[in-house]
Amino acid sequence: MKTKTLYVHDGEHLNIDRFPNFDRSGSIAGMKKLYYGQNALLVRCGSYIYNVSSEPSIYYNVAH
């Protein structure tokens, strides 16, 4: 499954912790299937993966 990576510093600047998240050891496929939907936009920042679908600009502006 595809995610993009955001530096922790940038995540803090964007207040990334306001989005739904799960631990990086969790199943991306499972979370998409059960909770977020197959088209969810997921960004990894630090030890968590965040669902930023409500603000797609975050996902599309990440360089990694």
Side-chain angles (χ1 to χ4, degrees):
M1 291 285 145
K2 185 173 179 175
T3 64
K4 292 192 175 183
T5 303
L6 183 66
Y7 292 116
V8 174
H9 179 267
D10 294 333
E12 290 171 353
H13 179 70
L14 294 169
N15 295 321
I16 195 81
D17 59 346
R18 62 193 159 109
F19 295 100
N21 64 73
F22 60 98
D23 191 79
R24 69 180 177 172
S25 66
S27 169
I28 294 171
M31 292 301 286
K32 281 188 164 189
K33 182 178 178 182
L34 293 174
Y35 300 106
Y36 300 145
Q38 294 302 315
N39 295 323
L41 303 174
L42 302 178
V43 174
R44 179 171 179 235
C45 184
S47 297
Y48 294 94
I49 299 173
Y50 296 88
N51 178 5
V52 296
S53 297
S54 62
E55 286 189 37
S57 61
I58 294 173
Y59 181 84
Y60 293 115
N61 290 326
V62 173
H64 311 100

